[in-house]
Amino acid sequence: MAPPFVYINGYPGVGKLAAARALIPMITGAKIFDNHSLIDATAMVYERGEPEYQPLRRKMRRVVLDSIATSSSRKDNTWIFTDQQSSSEDGSAAVKDYQLAAGKRGSPFVSVILNCELEENLRRLSGSGRGVHNTKLTDAEILRHIRDTEDIYHVGGELELEIDVTEKTAQEVAGIIKEFLGMYKPKFAGLFIAERSFDDIKGFKHTFVHDLMGMKAGTEIDLLCWVDKPRNHGRLVFCNVVDNTGKIQAIFDRVLVEDAASAASFVPEIGPEVGVNLILLDGRL
């Protein structure tokens, strides 16, 4: 499995890039892609309020993410992304671009939300050097408006970490993120599937959880996923099946799992019954 995508989201000025930079020396081969790399490039062509601004920024984001997702030169790098996306339609669509790129690469998508109390956020926003050579926000009134009208987008799930950074240094925040990544290292590394190895899933074509809605009964697919919170009820095991796009409840037949050592059919709570070949990344039920 490819190293994770670490997606750091939060209001302007909370310290996302500082935390990302502090995290770099803690993770071998980690690289940063700051959202202002896209914003600054787009602003060289269009003003933010012009109709061409958002389409160009979206196209650039998708080109960059697709290149990262399919790159052989960067396949062993952990990528750290910084962003400021709200729960609006545009914000959620932007986050989905990162999630889909992670899925295409075979990387776990780790969402990190940085929160900060208003007064400290305002103090950090006015820090020396911020916005001098780029498009970083420095207007306190605009920040107040953003905080009053926009909620930071939450992916949800067990691979999301939320940190109050009000009284924390960038180094401390990076340490918390690093510890969180370490907690889930077995899930990133584990593979439990008959006759499949790590090499087998490189370029593996599979279905995402969000694609299950609307599928016809009897459809057979391959789903690359994590198994979360299993609940043992004798022969049947109920659990959440999770990937970078969503979560559904599954029912496993324990006899089938033990006999086949890998595959089972399950019945999603949503949508029609779908026959699925599961690739489990949790290592065990």
Side-chain angles (χ1 to χ4, degrees):
M1 170 174 266
F5 275 20
V6 181
Y7 180 79
I8 304 177
N9 195 9
Y11 290 120
V14 297
K16 301 182 294 291
L17 184 56
R21 286 171 172 165
L23 187 58
I24 284 291
M26 299 182 184
I27 302 175
T28 303
K31 294 185 69 67
I32 295 174
F33 189 81
D34 178 33
N35 63 317
H36 280 277
S37 300
L38 293 174
I39 296 172
D40 294 346
T42 308
M44 294 291 289
V45 184
Y46 299 114
E47 297 295 327
R48 185 179 286 267
E50 293 179 326
E52 299 90 349
Y53 176 88
Q54 287 296 345
L56 177 59
R57 181 174 163 185
R58 180 167 55 250
K59 288 179 181 178
M60 293 174 64
R61 178 175 64 242
R62 290 175 178 175
V63 168
V64 170
L65 289 173
D66 185 69
S67 179
I68 290 173
T70 58
S71 170
S72 58
S73 303
R74 292 286 177 258
K75 63 183 177 62
D76 296 322
N77 294 106
T78 293
W79 280 94
I80 305 169
F81 300 95
T82 65
D83 208 353
Q84 187 253 306
Q85 296 295 346
S86 71
S87 55
S88 68
E89 183 177 350
D90 286 342
S92 60
V95 177
K96 185 60 65 67
D97 284 343
Y98 289 90
Q99 290 180 282
L100 292 176
K104 186 173 185 178
R105 188 181 188 233
S107 293
F109 184 83
V110 180
S111 169
V112 179
I113 310 295
L114 302 188
N115 295 318
C116 187
E117 292 181 5
L118 175 60
E119 292 307 313
E120 176 62 15
N121 196 172
L122 291 169
R123 186 191 70 78
R124 296 184 183 191
L125 193 78
S126 61
S128 61
R130 179 179 170 85
V132 174
H133 302 295
N134 54 38
T135 56
K136 283 181 177 290
L137 179 68
T138 57
D139 190 313
E141 290 309 309
I142 294 178
L143 175 63
R144 290 178 185 273
H145 177 74
I146 290 173
R147 290 183 58 119
D148 287 342
T149 59
E150 298 182 11
D151 294 322
I152 293 299
Y153 183 84
H154 287 65
V155 174
E158 66 171 1
L159 292 184
E160 183 163 82
L161 171 66
E162 196 159 0
I163 309 173
D164 186 340
V165 302
T166 304
E167 298 181 355
K168 292 181 174 62
T169 65
Q171 194 73 17
E172 290 172 330
V173 174
I176 294 171
I177 297 172
K178 176 62 168 61
E179 183 179 1
F180 183 78
L181 293 174
M183 288 170 55
Y184 288 95
K185 189 174 182 181
K187 292 193 176 183
F188 297 163
L191 186 68
F192 182 64
I193 181 70
E195 300 179 355
R196 287 198 184 273
S197 66
F198 290 107
D199 289 335
D200 290 331
I201 65 172
K202 291 179 180 177
F204 180 71
K205 301 298 183 182
H206 59 278
T207 301
F208 295 100
V209 166
H210 70 69
D211 294 327
L212 295 179
M213 287 296 292
M215 282 189 173
K216 294 182 179 180
T219 303
E220 291 192 2
I221 64 170
D222 289 312
L223 186 68
L224 188 65
C225 60
W226 294 273
V227 174
D228 179 34
K229 298 182 176 65
R231 300 173 297 284
N232 190 348
H233 292 271
R235 173 173 171 170
L236 297 180
V237 178
F238 294 80
C239 63
N240 296 326
V241 171
V242 185
D243 68 10
N244 296 314
T245 68
K247 176 173 67 175
I248 57 174
Q249 178 165 286
I251 304 173
F252 288 78
D253 188 322
R254 179 176 289 278
V255 173
L256 291 176
V257 172
E258 289 179 350
D259 288 349
S262 59
S265 62
F266 72 88
V267 181
E269 281 190 331
I270 57 174
E273 181 172 342
V274 180
V276 179
N277 300 316
L278 289 177
I279 298 179
L280 308 181
L281 300 181
D282 192 27
R284 56 184 170 83
L285 287 178

